[in-house]
Amino acid sequence: MIKELNINHKQVSIQYPKTDIKELPVVILHAYNKEEGRAVFEKCEKLHCPNFILVSISNLDWNKEMTPWFAPKLNKHDEDCLGKADEYIEELTTEIIPKIEDYMKKELQKDITYYAIAGYSLGGLFAVYATYKTDIFKKVASASGSFWFPNFVEFIKENKMKSKIQSMYFSIGNKESKVRNQVLATVEKHTKAIENIYHSQGIETIYEENEGNHFHEADLRMAKGIKWILEEE
């Protein structure tokens, strides 16, 4: 079942299973468009994920709202990353999520057991970064996260998360680092390093490699990550 909302000019899709269970976890997924959110939820159902509510948020200014600080474009066809994630996190936590909660309680009559955050590419980078700015999230799923992003590993080493994270999922495609661009080529090394840092902090983590490049079966990769964090207690 699905409900579409418009909150602060963001497209918010709430997808939920047919169940009498009153308390369910909520996964916040930042997506390129609402079709991506629907595809991920369908893959989650095919993978027999535990019952949960997927809140897919799209109509985002991706290079602005999903990036933690400024970074120049990687090639002439890209755009600069403007680094306004902090502003969006404030909007997400003070305006968007409260309205989502109100809808769930009044219309769906569901209570939220915990929040998780998930994302692909820059959305996967943002999912990790958000845990340093808010304590709302308990679990993180980052699929093909953009951990090539300049100085992000150093940021993790030098800062402490606000969220008390229970589990974190990381994955990339096995061809993602086999590219000419030397910045993008660091993604495998950095993803492994980040997973190791969190594992050493006592967080339940996993690192997986999937077949293909960055764009191969993105919805399935994201669904696999969501399934893993939902099952990890």
Side-chain angles (χ1 to χ4, degrees):
M1 302 178 72
I2 186 168
K3 174 65 178 180
E4 304 284 356
L5 303 176
N6 189 291
I7 304 175
N8 287 21
H9 305 292
K10 301 291 190 294
Q11 182 68 44
V12 178
S13 301
I14 301 175
Q15 298 178 84
Y16 51 98
K18 294 180 180 179
T19 176
D20 294 329
I21 299 173
K22 296 298 183 183
E23 296 183 344
L24 292 171
V26 171
V27 177
I28 302 289
L29 170 68
H30 290 94
Y32 289 108
N33 50 54
K34 64 181 181 181
E35 286 75 22
E36 179 187 342
R38 290 181 179 180
V40 169
F41 193 73
E42 288 176 2
K43 288 293 191 299
C44 285
E45 290 184 318
K46 290 181 179 179
L47 292 174
H48 304 292
C49 286
N51 285 321
F52 77 107
I53 298 171
L54 180 67
V55 176
S56 173
I57 302 173
S58 57
N59 196 30
L60 298 155
D61 190 332
W62 206 252
N63 283 21
K64 177 182 177 181
E65 293 173 310
M66 295 289 101
T67 56
W69 47 80
F70 179 86
K73 58 188 176 183
L74 296 178
N75 59 63
K76 63 181 181 180
H77 302 295
D78 285 339
E79 298 178 0
D80 290 336
C81 295
L82 301 181
K84 299 299 182 181
D86 286 12
E87 295 178 11
Y88 173 65
I89 290 168
E90 178 72 14
E91 178 186 353
L92 175 67
T93 56
T94 64
E95 299 182 54
I96 297 175
I97 287 179
K99 291 177 181 177
I100 291 169
E101 287 183 352
D102 186 63
Y103 175 82
M104 289 182 184
K105 290 179 180 179
K106 291 180 178 178
E107 302 297 327
L108 302 185
Q109 297 182 336
K110 300 291 186 185
D111 291 322
I112 300 165
T113 54
Y114 64 84
Y115 280 104
I117 186 168
Y120 196 90
S121 194
L122 282 176
L125 175 80
F126 176 85
V128 173
Y129 180 72
T131 66
Y132 290 83
K133 300 297 176 175
T134 176
D135 62 0
I136 194 171
F137 300 112
K138 183 178 178 182
K139 303 181 179 185
V140 177
S142 175
S144 292
S146 298
F147 297 123
W148 53 262
F149 200 83
N151 302 315
F152 195 72
V153 176
E154 289 74 15
F155 171 83
I156 288 174
K157 291 178 179 179
E158 296 170 3
N159 291 274
K160 185 177 180 180
M161 290 186 289
K162 287 188 175 181
S163 293
K164 292 183 179 180
I165 297 298
Q166 179 181 1
S167 57
M168 303 182 80
Y169 172 94
F170 299 94
S171 72
I172 64 168
N174 59 9
K175 295 181 180 178
E176 290 198 52
S177 61
K178 296 176 174 64
V179 292
R180 292 182 179 179
N181 187 291
Q182 293 304 301
V183 177
L184 291 175
T186 65
V187 65
E188 180 180 336
K189 176 180 71 174
H190 288 172
T191 303
K192 288 179 177 178
I194 289 169
E195 189 264 339
N196 284 330
I197 290 170
Y198 291 128
H199 185 74
S200 70
Q201 294 174 357
I203 298 171
E204 289 294 325
T205 64
I206 190 172
Y207 168 84
E208 289 189 339
E209 287 190 11
N210 299 288
E211 290 292 329
N213 61 21
H214 183 70
F215 303 99
H216 185 64
E217 294 186 329
D219 52 354
L220 177 59
R221 292 183 189 180
M222 192 72 263
K224 287 169 62 179
I226 291 172
K227 182 177 189 290
W228 188 84
I229 61 171
L230 289 172
E231 292 178 341
E232 199 67 25
E233 295 297 338

